[in-house]
Amino acid sequence: MLEIRQLSVRYGRAVQALRGVSLAVPAGGVVAVLGSNGAGKTTLLRAVSGTLPLHRGSIDAGDVTFDGARLARRDPADIVAAGVVGVPEGRRVFGRLTVDENLRAGAIGARDRRSRTAARERVYATFPRLAERRDQRARLLSGGEQQMLAIARGLMAGPRLLLLDEPSLGLAPRVVTQVADVVRQISAQGTSVLLVEQNAAMALAVSDHAYVLALGRVALERPSAELAGSAEMRRVYLGEA
Ligand code: ATP
């Protein structure tokens, strides 16, 4: 359903961040993108969601389509309307707003009050801890809870494909397990997920298929179960000989 073909992205003249990357996310699938710092993972998600830094980042070749419709170079709002919603790195929640207000802010695209309320109740069913804290200000939540809130807010837009940028970053192992469970639940509810992670173990455990990026190229691509623990994976990803 999401097709990225031969995508190249540069920042200004000097930095070629992606070089001919091709990747597919099938309907209902969870696809992981792994790679070390600077490999181009965030750039890939930003190119898909239309949020490359203005005046600097640009797609200079290739294409991105979703159900056959072209997404490349379109406005972020059009891309959200097409059903593709990004949750950026670093849990950017509105700290002074309550949990409930954060979710309301995410209800873009919902037509009326009733459908917005229904969306909120669905999201609370997936995140019971957020339901318990719905009137608390977001900045008082733990790091893990803020990450859950960032994901929950993304779900409020009713995406068919959710783009997650390093949701496990900086979280304790126990909380990473909770994030993994949430990814599985989102997928079970019929939303596809493109998951960017440095935590390879977590990403391979929840995804069907994985791509490893290195220096802006796809270095390796396999079913996740084959990659987990493979020597190839260690060589490409961790740079072991
Ligand atoms: P990280 O995990 O650190 O976010 P990443 O794999 O997501 O790494 P990107 O952030 O996509 O990597 O960066 C890819 C390349 O593009 C790097 O060389 C980086 O320095 C460069 N880059 C990223 N953003 C910009 C920008 N706004 N201006 C110039 N160069 C950039």
Side-chain angles (χ1 to χ4, degrees):
M1 140 170 109
L2 180 79
E3 285 266 6
I4 299 174
R5 287 188 214 90
Q6 293 296 321
L7 188 70
S8 294
V9 172
R10 55 170 57 253
Y11 294 107
R13 288 208 182 147
V15 183
Q16 183 84 50
L18 294 181
R19 303 161 188 267
V21 170
S22 296
L23 174 158
V25 184
V30 178
V31 169
V33 177
L34 309 170
S36 48
N37 268 327
K41 306 181 299 297
T42 297
T43 299
L44 183 69
L45 288 193
R46 294 185 119 197
V48 172
S49 61
T51 55
L52 287 166
L54 286 176
H55 309 303
R56 189 142 177 83
S58 64
I59 296 177
D60 61 357
D63 207 0
V64 181
T65 59
F66 186 62
D67 279 347
R70 160 173 268 174
L71 297 188
R73 303 185 186 82
R74 283 176 59 194
D75 287 339
D78 291 346
I79 294 171
V80 170
V84 178
V85 173
V87 179
E89 189 178 324
R91 353 180 164 120
R92 276 176 242 144
V93 296
F94 301 116
R96 298 171 68 161
L97 301 186
T98 66
V99 167
D100 206 63
E101 287 164 346
N102 268 275
L103 292 186
R104 286 166 193 265
I108 29 185
R111 282 178 310 279
D112 50 51
R113 199 192 164 110
R114 195 189 288 172
S115 64
R116 283 196 293 275
T117 305
R120 229 161 48 245
E121 292 315 317
R122 256 198 320 277
V123 164
Y124 279 136
T126 308
F127 299 92
R129 281 181 76 86
L130 294 181
E132 287 165 20
R133 289 163 172 68
R134 63 169 83 196
D135 296 320
Q136 200 167 91
R137 285 183 199 277
R139 69 179 149 81
L140 299 176
L141 300 177
S142 71
E145 288 162 352
Q146 288 185 12
Q147 181 60 65
M148 298 298 182
L149 180 56
I151 296 172
R153 196 177 58 193
L155 289 174
M156 285 296 295
R160 293 170 53 221
L161 171 66
L162 193 69
L163 313 171
L164 294 178
D165 195 355
E166 304 222 22
S168 79
L169 193 71
L171 301 181
R174 182 182 49 84
V175 187
V176 172
T177 307
Q178 292 169 6
V179 173
D181 287 342
V182 160
V183 172
R184 288 196 189 93
Q185 238 174 303
I186 291 168
S187 150
Q189 288 163 6
T191 301
S192 311
V193 179
L194 182 57
L195 169 68
V196 157
E197 263 298 336
Q198 284 201 48
N199 184 334
M202 179 276 215
L204 293 177
V206 300
S207 59
D208 315 304
H209 204 88
Y211 294 75
V212 181
L213 286 189
L215 299 174
R217 287 197 171 85
V218 175
L220 189 60
E221 176 215 331
R222 286 291 145 75
S224 304
E226 278 178 34
L227 270 188
S230 73
E232 221 176 359
M233 170 77 188
R234 285 199 300 276
R235 182 174 53 76
V236 172
Y237 185 49
L238 303 172
E240 289 178 9

